[in-house]
Every structure is written in structure tokens, then in C-alpha cells.
Amino acid sequence: MANPLFDGLFGRHSGKSTVFLHLPDGGTVTHAKFLETAARFANTLWDMGVRTGDRVAVQIAKSPEALAVYAACVQAGVIFLPLNTAYSAPEVSYFVENSGAKLLICDEANVDTLTPVAQAADAAIETLNGDGSGSFPEAAANQTTEFATVDRDGDDLAAFLYTSGTTGRSKGAMLTQTNLLSNSEVLVQEWRFTAEDVLLHALPIFHTHGLFVATNVTLLAGGSMIFLPKFDSDAMVERMPQATAMMGVPTFYTRLLDHPGFTRDLTRHMRLFVSGSAPLLAETHVTFEDRTGHRILERYGMTETNMNTSNPYDGERRAGTVGFPLPGVELKVTDPKTGDTVPDGEIGVIEVRGPNVFKGYWQMPEKTAEELRPDGFFITGDLGQIDADGYVHIVGRNKDLIISGGYNIYPKEIELLLDEQPGVLESAVIGVPHPDFGETVVAVLVPEKDGSPDLEGIKSSISGSLARFKQPREMVILPELPRNTMGKVQKNALRDQFGGLFTA
Ligand code: MLC
Ligand code: AMP
């Protein structure tokens, strides 16, 4: 027995004094030092009674120590559950309770608010701050730097990532060791990552893109990362000369293009720019190539599946497409009603199957059965078509989802909150084009008879329960919502009406 994910990502780096992380203050962390911290953390988890198969939820700032918690969990066979730092206490509460987490690690600034949340869920609470301080690293300080890696099977769970749903209830996607490792192996090959690579890393590490793509791929290749706490275009321009590759959401690229220091010279030595998590406008692709001479490599993935398709490293990277299915990934486009494959060139729902596809939603067998077919195909909810050359195009979504700056937002969750507000009869939440975030949230409210909703009051009321990025950037009032003959709200009509709010 062994622990394939730990062995693959971290095993062969133990004792190596090569640099793994370059930090904003000019400091570095070697692989050996990083793994010592991880082993200390794994011992600490064990001392705290956390065992293989238990869940550890973390809502912590991006830092080398935060990443070491991930490594510690993999080493101990503990299921890692990272949470967006923007989530409010009620949002965190749901994840901790639903996952049955044994331990919640949070920033000291949130410990007062989150202690009752942890208590209610019968979870312990510890702190870890962005500067590496906190009760968790304090408890780890005297631990040994050796931890006997726990044996795991490829089918064992490594992580839970929560993804919202069309009903408003978030679902915990269960990801196995094989899901994560197989995908990283394929991406290292396809994108030609090596130990020489230095990845400019500005993505958050609580989602697939920043953790399971950017970080895992670099680790597996034995390369290093310039580890920035968040995206900042000045810092990106400053550090790009030391990098060989970058991964980002489309907003990263549009913001870089707005920066006067982002020039052809600055990027001349770069090997690769990857974009994903949201559609990259063909216009951005073209402007980027005009400015830098580089063609962004666009790929397509999801929380439940990691990466499914990629434009080619060699060969044509085609703007407006997400390339070809990755080796080992089967992709078909089906009729949403019948599930039959549609002829090439026609639009349908994208389904994927392969070692990358998750095991199901935690304790939600019905939801799992709705989206994961018995034959292993996962129904992504994305609408696509395959062109004559085999390139996959994503043309829309069969799910009511907004993607803002790479973060997914499910309208239902916001509508449920808005419908409860005083003076509101009903609501519809839509995504409209936004120059910075790609899409942003607009709420349409219908007043109760003789009611007049207090928009400022509503904004402040929902701000306590919803992460800032989910809060509507604009609220408008309409006497009624447009509906079709079946009584279904016609969101397309609303998008037509309000689509120019941020771009006109
Ligand atoms: C921050 N804000 C957002 C936001 N991010 N609002 C909407 N959408 C977002 N994505 C809020 C802030 O709270 C702030 O609110 C205001 O917007 C402006 O803040 P900012 O300083 O501009 O935000 P910034 O820190 O720069 O963040 C923008 C961003 C960030 C694009 C850099 O959102 C980001 O790093 N996104 C990456 C998301 C990601 O990793 N997705 C991968 C998911 S995995 P106010 O009101 O206080 O001003 C996945 C699978 C796959 O999808 O295929 O990869
Ligand atoms: P998430 O649930 O956060 O993992 O987001 C996954 C969703 O992001 C997918 O189902 C797609 O709708 C979208 N997505 C990811 N990559 C791309 C891309 N390159 N182009 C268009 N949409 C994308």
C-alpha cells in the first residue's frame, strides 16, 4: 500500500532543498521545509483527534502554511475542505455542519463569529492567519517533522469542494486521490510542465483552479511557484520576469491588458499563459496576442471533474473554443431530453467520463443520480458543440448559473433570501455582462401589493448572510416578472432588458 496522491505530489520532494515557493517579501520556502511543516501539521491534527477519513474545513488566507495544511491532510488521509474566504458565517455554518467536519481552521479575525458555528456542529476550532501565526501552528511548533504517511487507495477520498446548486443548497463534491492525481498527470504532460517551471500563482487556493490545477501541476512537475496572496496587477507585472508560466481566470487577463507595464517585452520569456473557469472572450484572446505575441491556452473544467478539455500546447489554440478532450477523458454532446448523442456540430449538453470525474455529492444520492449517470458520464449542465476539427465550443449553460470573476453564483440561493425581504413578493436574479468580472449579479424585485421594498435596507440585510461577490451589484423593481405560458420566469427577457446596465 501507499498513498498515491501524497507520493505523487509530495513524496519525491522530501529532503530536497530546492525552492518550492517564492514569497512576496523575497523569502523562499524549500520543498524540504514545506514538508516539515506539513508533517508537523499532520501530527497536530492527529493529536487533536482528527483521523483518516475525517473532514477538516479551512477558511484561511493564502499562505505557505495554508498550503501545508492541505499537504498534511493528504499525508494523514484526512479529507481537505477549503472554503472561500469571502463566505459569511451562515455560509460557513452550512458547510461545517453538512460535511460533519471534525475541525474548522479559520483566521483569528473571525474566531469570535465562527466559534458558535463550530460548537453548533460539534467541531473543534483553531486559527491560522495569513502571516502563518495562530493557535494551530502554535500547537504544531513542538511536533516532530516526521509523520508516517497514511496508506490510501486511489479510490479513497482526498477532498470535498462545495458547489452550489440550482435549488440553492450547496453540494459537497467528493474527490478521490485518483481524480486529482490522474488529472494533474495529464496536465503536466499536455502543458509540458517541468522542474524548470516557475508558475506565477495569484489564484485563490480554495478552488479547483488555484489548488488542483495550478498547485498540483507545479508540485507534480517538481517546479516552483511565485506565491502571491491575491491577484494584483502591479505585483503580477513586477514578478512576471521571474516566472515561466501563469494561470488565471479571464478577469486576470483583462486587468493585465489594462496595465501600462504589461508589454511584449515583459512577457517575452514566458512559456505559457492558461485561462479557464469562465469564458475568455475571443476579443481578449486576440488583444492579448497582439500585445504580447502569446496565444492564451484556454481549457475547460469544473469542480466535479477537474479539467476536461484543453487547447493544444503545440498546434492551434483557437479563440472561443476550449480545445479537445484531455487524454483519458471521454466527452459527448447530448440531447438534454433524451440523453442521446447529437450529431457533431449540433448543440447539446456536454457530458464527460474518465478518471477525473468525482465520486458523487456527499450524502446526496438523489442529486448524484440526477447528474452522474450509471455508466459514469457526468452531465455538466454546460451547452456545447464540437466543430468539424474536433474543437469543443461552450455556447451557453443549461443550468441557472452566473460566473463572476471566476466565482460561481447560483441565482436560486440569492432569490430565496430576497423573497423573504419585507415588501418583496418575488424576485429573479440574473447575470449581465460586466467589463471586469465577465458577468455580474442583478436582482429584479417585484413588490408586494401596495408595497415598496426598501432597497438599501435589503442590501444591508442580505450582506450578513451572503459573500460579497454574490451580492447584487444592482437591484431593479418591476411590477411583474415576464413568464412563458408554463408560468416559468423568462430570464432571457430580463437579460435582454438589463443586459446593458454595466456595459452600455
Ligand atoms: C471580489 N469581488 C468580487 C469578486 N471578487 N465581486 C464579484 N465577483 C468576483 N469574482 C468583490 C470584492 O469583494 C470587492 O467588493 C469588489 O468585488 C472589488 O474587489 P477587487 O479588489 O476588485 O477584488 P479582487 O480581490 O481583485 O478579486 C477579483 C478577482 C478574484 C477576479 C481577482 O475574484 C479572483 O481571484 N477570482 C478567481 C476565482 C477563481 O479562482 N475561480 C476558480 C474556480 S474553479 P467591494 O464591494 O468591497 O468593493 C473552477 C473550475 C475551473 O471554476 O474550470 O477552473
Ligand atoms: P465550478 O463549478 O466553479 O467548478 O465552475 C465550473 C463551470 O465553469 C463550468 O461548468 C463552466 O460553466 C465554467 N467554465 C470553466 N471553464 C470554462 C471555460 N474555459 N469557458 C467557459 N466556461 C468555463
Side-chain angles (χ1 to χ4, degrees), residues 204 209 230 255 277 299 301 404-407 437 468-469 473:
H209 198 164
K230 64 186 286 258
R255 287 190 184 182
S277 308
R299 70 12 171 221
S404 167
Y407 287 145
F437 291 130
R468 174 72 187 111
F469 71 88
R473 294 289 151 139

Side-chain angles (χ1 to χ4, degrees), residues 79-324:
I79 298 169
F80 184 64
L81 196 179
L83 296 171
N84 193 321
T85 46
Y87 288 150
S88 64
E91 288 167 311
V92 173
S93 166
Y94 173 82
F95 302 122
V96 175
E97 267 187 37
N98 184 269
S99 65
K102 197 94 181 246
L103 171 66
L104 168 65
I105 308 181
C106 71
D107 196 285
E108 226 161 74
N110 300 329
V111 75
D112 288 344
T113 332
L114 292 179
T115 298
V117 164
Q119 276 168 353
D122 219 7
I125 186 162
E126 296 288 339
T127 61
L128 173 57
N129 306 315
D131 63 2
S133 64
S135 65
F136 187 73
E138 271 163 34
N142 293 324
Q143 294 284 353
T144 74
T145 54
E146 298 290 321
F147 182 86
T149 303
V150 171
D151 283 343
R152 296 269 79 193
D153 189 75
D155 208 33
D156 285 328
L157 298 179
F160 280 8
L161 284 191
Y162 274 79
T163 152
S164 298
T166 42
T167 57
R169 274 191 77 205
S170 283
K171 303 165 287 185
M174 301 188 286
L175 295 156
T176 66
Q177 289 229 336
T178 296
N179 293 153
L180 302 181
L181 187 59
S182 65
N183 210 237
S184 309
E185 283 169 347
V186 163
L187 296 176
V188 167
Q189 294 296 322
E190 291 295 297
W191 297 343
R192 314 276 195 275
F193 267 79
T194 71
E196 305 304 311
D197 272 307
V198 182
L199 182 79
L200 187 53
H201 192 303
L203 287 157
I205 54 169
F206 43 70
H207 279 315
T208 300
H209 198 164
L211 190 61
F212 301 142
V213 183
T215 302
N216 282 3
V217 162
T218 308
L219 274 164
L220 198 65
S224 64
M225 303 194 277
I226 300 172
F227 208 54
L228 301 178
K230 64 186 286 258
F231 179 87
D232 170 81
S233 37
D234 288 334
M236 297 295 278
V237 165
E238 192 191 319
R239 299 306 297 262
M240 198 155 293
Q242 289 97 50
T244 64
M246 176 193 142
M247 296 186 196
V249 297
T251 301
F252 285 19
Y253 291 102
T254 48
R255 287 190 184 182
L256 280 174
L257 286 169
D258 280 342
H259 194 291
F262 188 69
T263 60
R264 184 172 282 250
D265 258 1
L266 187 83
T267 63
R268 205 176 289 282
H269 66 290
M270 288 286 281
R271 182 178 77 73
L272 181 62
F273 291 92
V274 178
S275 175
S277 308
L280 183 78
L281 294 180
E283 178 196 317
T284 311
H285 189 101
V286 170
T287 313
F288 195 90
E289 186 176 8
D290 287 347
R291 173 88 64 90
T292 65
H294 290 280
R295 273 178 172 247
I296 298 174
L297 184 153
E298 186 172 6
R299 70 12 171 221
Y300 156 62
M302 295 185 74
T303 300
E304 289 91 336
T305 63
N306 259 48
M307 298 305 101
N308 295 313
T309 72
S310 171
N311 268 282
Y313 188 86
D314 301 313
E316 191 194 350
R317 300 178 193 167
R318 205 172 276 186
T321 83
V322 293
F324 308 110

Side-chain angles (χ1 to χ4, degrees), residues 325-369:
L326 288 165
V329 177
E330 289 172 80
L331 183 147
K332 60 183 184 179
V333 178
T334 61
D335 180 325
K337 291 202 182 74
T338 62
D340 294 338
T341 302
V342 301
D344 275 2
E346 285 188 18
I347 294 172
V349 177
I350 296 175
E351 298 191 23
V352 292
R353 176 165 74 179
N356 56 318
V357 174
F358 76 138
K359 215 173 172 172
Y361 297 113
W362 171 247
Q363 292 183 337
M364 289 189 183
E366 301 86 20
K367 288 273 157 215
T368 303

